[in-house]
Amino acid sequence: LGGLSAEARGLVALGMWGVYRVDLDGVRFLQALTLEAGAWTVLQGVTLGFAGVVAVFALVVALERRLPHKRMLVATGVLITGVLVVLVGQTVQTCQAVGWVPVTPIEGLTLAYWTGMWLGVYPTWEGLLAQAAALAFVLGSYAAAEALRARRRARILATPIGDAGRSA
């Protein structure tokens, strides 16, 4: 990694952490499911899931030139942001249930049961503020990355064509 730029090293580290975390979560989930449902049921589910992944892969390869890649990445980012907000809310609620985080109800706010189950939204200040902070972090990161990209583009456009080779 020594020859890579700081940005490239950061992306490699982020990618490795993401793969590690997903794999660790998958292993823990499958272990718990195996204890509850049995190995044969889990094997059938894993096989069916693997077949689905292969089918999606084949479809993507077959349609690769016609797929709107940028739109797909944006949609994926929005979905992952939604999952983050839900998981933050559920994590705060779990921490409140075991007594690690205080519970401060929001007066006058009553939510349906499904908002907690499906969206991780509970009527407590701690949960809603943590979810708002997570969302603000993602949106702020996006805004900062876009501003950096715009500055770099402006700097490149401001560089005279004859100087472009010397500045690299």
Side-chain angles (χ1 to χ4, degrees), residues 5-144:
S5 69
E7 290 174 341
R9 283 192 300 254
L11 287 174
V12 168
L14 181 64
M16 290 173 62
W17 173 253
V19 169
Y20 170 77
R21 178 140 195 292
V22 166
D23 289 346
L24 181 66
D25 286 347
V27 167
R28 289 187 320 190
F29 174 74
L30 290 175
Q31 283 178 340
L33 200 56
T34 300
L35 291 173
E36 188 175 316
W40 176 243
T41 303
V42 172
L43 182 61
Q44 288 173 324
V46 167
T47 303
L48 184 63
F50 182 71
V53 168
V54 169
V56 168
F57 171 76
L59 189 63
V60 167
V61 168
L63 300 174
E64 71 178 302
R65 293 204 187 268
R66 289 180 271 174
L67 290 175
H69 295 287
K70 186 173 182 178
R71 284 190 200 142
M72 290 172 54
L73 285 172
V74 169
T76 301
V78 169
L79 290 172
I80 290 173
T81 301
V83 169
L84 170 70
V85 171
V86 170
L87 289 177
V88 165
Q90 291 177 342
T91 300
V92 169
Q93 197 273 334
T94 299
C95 290
Q96 288 174 327
V98 297
W100 294 348
V101 173
V103 179
T104 310
I106 299 174
E107 296 294 326
L109 180 60
T110 305
L111 299 174
Y113 177 75
W114 65 267
T115 61
M117 279 303 279
W118 291 99
L119 303 176
V121 177
Y122 298 92
T124 66
W125 284 109
E126 295 83 5
L128 292 179
L129 289 175
Q131 287 176 306
L135 185 60
F137 178 77
V138 170
L139 294 176
S141 297
Y142 174 75

